[in-house]
Amino acid sequence: MRHTEFWSRMEDHLGEGYARVWASQHVMGALGSRTAQEALDAGVSPKEVWRAVWQALELPASER
């Protein structure tokens, strides 16, 4: 997964205006107590970050 696909999925589920806000404020234990943005900035793959987001948002398996 590329960063562009990650952000597209985030916007699909949270809306264009809220996706980046959520990614910069919601801390997830699955990412080592970091936000999605912090994890991406630290070099964590977008696929791994998406898995944590998917879990945090309790999205259906089809969205994984």
Side-chain angles (χ1 to χ4, degrees):
M1 173 185 294
R2 294 179 181 200
H3 286 263
T4 54
E5 183 180 353
F6 171 83
W7 287 113
S8 178
R9 288 184 183 197
M10 290 289 289
E11 290 173 3
D12 287 348
H13 292 287
L14 296 171
E16 189 175 331
Y18 187 56
R20 292 193 184 259
V21 172
W22 190 91
S24 68
Q25 294 182 354
H26 187 83
V27 176
M28 292 173 274
L31 295 175
S33 296
R34 295 182 285 193
T35 66
Q37 187 65 62
E38 289 170 334
L40 290 170
D41 291 346
V44 177
S45 76
K47 185 175 184 175
E48 186 176 338
V49 176
W50 177 252
R51 281 190 208 125
V53 169
W54 173 82
Q55 184 178 19
L57 294 176
E58 299 179 348
L59 297 173
S62 63
E63 299 297 326
R64 191 162 191 214

